[in-house]
Amino acid sequence: MPELPEVETIARGVHERVRGDRIVEAWFSSSPEPFKTPVSTQAKNLAGRAVVAVHRTGKHIVCELGPLPEPARKRDRRSSAGPGESSSMAPDAQWIVHLGMTGRLLVTTPDAPVAAHTHARLTLKSGRELRFVDPRRFGRLAYRDLRLDKGFSSPGADPLTISAAEFASLFRGRKLAIKAALLNQSLLAGVGNIYADESLFHAGVRPRRRAGRLTRAELERLRLALREVLEHAIRLGGSSVSDYVDADGAHGFFQLEHCVYQRTGLPCRRCGTPIRRILIGGRGTHYCPQCQS
DNA sequence: CATTTCACCTGGTGGC
DNA sequence: TGCCACCAGGTGAAAT
């Protein structure tokens, strides 16, 4: 489900709602583990930590967590005592959430009905819960101790800030289809099927073109189209194609702006030609045969 | 190494 | 109503 704009929307929502709150208890389902870090490790290490900040890297949601309080210590001379508001504390751990195709990360009241396929529930000091729900279980949850590991980072470049030169160099000499290249997360982090198709439409580039054969001008049109499309989608809260919702359960509106994605057979919004669907790398790919050459 | 294919899952939709 | 084939926002391992 979630690509860069949806993940960004969720990360912002979770950040606004739970920053400064504290994880009191962590519960994980015991069904076949959709987890990267064993649940016992996650449960043990998450409990007690403050949520310092939540942000997005590629399609990953990264929760920055403050250090565990040290109960068996003599009173800190000037412990900032107040429970909660510890957002100034330097994080020393991370909880990393990847939503896969159908994952949701929700902030709920404790009495909210527990949806089917709920795999994690973090009880917060405020009484609310942070819940991870994922029917298909393609999502992944991981815990990182920043005293032992570096903070999470994605191999791919950020499509919102990449320079023209760097963007062009990603595709130089590559023989695969530009559509497939856009989906490769180690080149660009965060682009998925919807925004690959939409940006290729706005750039006027056929998805089957070999990545290394695009002209300088086409690459620049593509870089700018991608950035525009992603920023526009973030402003509209993402695309709710079937069941995507943000941290509050609200859906996005960018699906109303789609020009090609899942519009097979419908007239192109620009020229009226029926939109075509083909397969590239096993993924449904939509384009206008007239506008994209 | 670069590229392609396929398995991993559940659920919704549309044809018969 | 049921059954079945096909499709879905993503990855990562295996094959080519």
Side-chain angles (χ1 to χ4, degrees), chain A residues 169-192:
Chain A
S169 74
L170 292 180
F171 305 109
R172 198 162 296 141
R174 296 193 176 268
K175 292 169 67 173
L176 78 174
I178 184 63
K179 160 72 184 274
L182 287 173
L183 295 179
N184 182 338
Q185 299 299 296
S186 55
L187 297 179
L188 286 170
V191 182

Side-chain angles (χ1 to χ4, degrees), chain A residues 19 25 28 35 37 51 104 107 112 131 140 143 146 159 185 195 198 220 263 274-275 292:
Chain A
R19 177 181 38 143
E25 188 186 351
F28 293 89
F35 310 121
T37 309
V51 180
R104 298 179 177 194
V107 180
R131 297 182 184 174
R140 292 291 178 267
Y143 172 82
L146 295 181
Q185 299 299 296
Y195 300 100
E198 293 297 315
E220 188 56 3
R263 298 194 72 245
I275 299 303
Q292 296 172 256

Side-chain angles (χ1 to χ4, degrees), chain A residues 3 101 179-180 183 192-198 200 207-208 260-264 275-287:
Chain A
E3 305 181 30
M101 291 272 264
K179 160 72 184 274
L183 295 179
N193 213 31
I194 296 176
Y195 300 100
D197 282 4
E198 293 297 315
L200 285 168
R208 269 217 235 268
V260 289
Y261 182 76
Q262 285 195 345
R263 298 194 72 245
T264 310
I275 299 303
R276 255 181 224 169
R277 178 181 184 278
I278 57 177
L279 279 185
I280 294 180
R283 312 299 304 280
T285 298
H286 316 75
Y287 71 100

Side-chain angles (χ1 to χ4, degrees), chain A residues 106-113 121 124 127-131 247-248:
Chain A
L106 298 163
V107 180
T108 70
T109 54
D111 55 313
R121 298 171 70 181
L124 303 173
R128 297 169 303 170
E129 289 187 14
L130 185 57
R131 297 182 184 174
D248 235 3

Side-chain angles (χ1 to χ4, degrees), chain A residues 7-176:
Chain A
V7 177
E8 178 70 29
T9 302
I10 293 167
R12 286 182 188 177
V14 173
H15 176 81
E16 285 163 16
R17 289 165 183 78
V18 311
R19 177 181 38 143
D21 212 334
R22 189 177 292 276
I23 300 165
V24 173
E25 188 186 351
W27 172 92
F28 293 89
S29 72
S30 52
S31 58
E33 306 200 352
F35 310 121
K36 276 199 164 154
T37 309
V39 295
S40 55
T41 307
Q42 295 195 48
K44 183 174 52 148
N45 286 288
L46 292 174
R49 291 183 188 275
V51 180
V52 175
V54 180
H55 57 93
R56 174 195 66 79
T57 298
K59 293 176 189 171
H60 296 261
I61 298 166
V62 180
C63 302
E64 303 285 350
L65 306 174
L68 282 173
E70 298 176 32
R73 266 297 201 294
K74 53 174 74 168
R75 275 276 158 274
D76 257 36
R77 332 105 222 177
R78 66 180 64 218
S79 68
S80 49
E85 311 317 312
S86 48
S87 32
S88 59
M89 207 183 293
D92 75 348
Q94 293 176 327
W95 191 48
I96 300 145
V97 179
H98 191 289
L99 299 169
M101 291 272 264
T102 53
R104 298 179 177 194
L105 194 60
L106 298 163
V107 180
T108 70
T109 54
D111 55 313
V114 177
H117 309 292
T118 296
H119 296 114
R121 298 171 70 181
L122 307 194
T123 306
L124 303 173
K125 193 158 191 173
S126 64
R128 297 169 303 170
E129 289 187 14
L130 185 57
R131 297 182 184 174
F132 174 69
V133 182
D134 183 15
R136 287 176 77 177
R137 282 189 276 130
F138 288 173
R140 292 291 178 267
L141 303 176
Y143 172 82
R144 261 189 197 231
D145 186 333
L146 295 181
R147 294 167 305 183
L148 306 175
D149 299 303
K150 303 213 69 166
F152 177 83
S153 71
S154 156
D158 177 1
L160 294 176
T161 57
I162 189 169
S163 71
E166 200 189 342
F167 189 82
S169 74
L170 292 180
F171 305 109
R172 198 162 296 141
R174 296 193 176 268
K175 292 169 67 173
L176 78 174

